[in-house]
Amino acid sequence: MNLKSYFALIYYRLRYKYQDLRLKFDVKVANWNKKGKERLTVMVIPHSEQKTINFHISYRAITIFIGTILVLLLISSVNVLSHSGSIHQLTELNLSNQDFIRQSAKMKEEINSLHEHVDYYHNHVGALYGRLTGDSSKVAKGIGGAEKLSSQNLSKDGKPLPPGTEVFRLKEDVHNLKVANELTHEIISILKKRKNVIRQTPSIWPVRGYVLYPYGEYLNPVTARKETNNGIDIGAFPGSEVVVTAPGTVYEIGYTRHTGYFVKVGHKFGWKTIYSNLDRIKVKQNQQVSKSEVIGFVGKSENSPQYSLHYEIHVGTRAINPFAFLNQIQD
């Protein structure tokens, strides 16, 4: 058998089966139509002698009626299930909404707490900056004006807060934090500079003792006259160690009949200190000295027959009262 004959055989077999199935279907449709045309008689017989009522209903009508009922039941079931699903979704949405309200209230409490901390930090940093610089122009808050948030979205007077209040409050806090951070950096810079100035400022006693003659006018017991003292005279034991009161450089060493041996030290920022009435000197000219380093020992001179140290502080060419610096400024 060749290929053409094989396909022809398959074609005729399929055609035969199709015709057979169509014939059976036509027979069933004819039987259904015949059955549908048959009538079912329903008799209603009353208990009295009234006329009997007869109803003639075809099987086709009964089938259509039952089918219609089934379709209506199916549609109703779908509607009921859809309604139940909608109710379930509404319940879930309601629960989600309640959870959102709780989360929103918690978030507003956190925002209020954050705002209080930011405000406290900003105010204290601003107050410190104002005391250090005297300039309050940089301390002013930038945005401001946002009311405290409540879980009911109401202001203090009971009116609803405008939309976006939370965002506005957060923007205000971010701005104030930025301002406070900038002020903090400036405060640190100022303190570093001032600490450096303090370190270079004469701030300790050059010798252990007591003030013999103060700064300014005093009565000289030797001459019995009023004289002007450009520094102070500190009484001390003979040979007591004299220390430099700030780091610097020895720029002059000498001796006169009135001052005895003296040492002059230059410091940063224009400070100068002078140590007179020394018996011996331990440093050399142009030598770098550190704070508290021994530079000589207490002696006396013709103008000061008592063992004492004459100590002066100058800013540029102007002498100032050293007593104000003795242990008044600390590192």
Side-chain angles (χ1 to χ4, degrees), residues 19-35:
Q19 290 177 349
D20 183 57
L21 290 173
R22 184 175 179 181
L23 179 61
K24 290 180 179 180
F25 177 75
D26 291 340
V27 171
K28 286 185 178 182
V29 170
N31 291 333
W32 185 79
N33 288 330
K34 183 178 178 181
K35 189 71 175 176

Side-chain angles (χ1 to χ4, degrees), residues 69-83:
I69 295 298
L70 291 176
V71 170
L72 291 177
L73 287 175
L74 179 63
I75 294 174
S76 299
S77 300
V78 171
N79 289 332
V80 169
L81 292 175
S82 177
H83 182 67

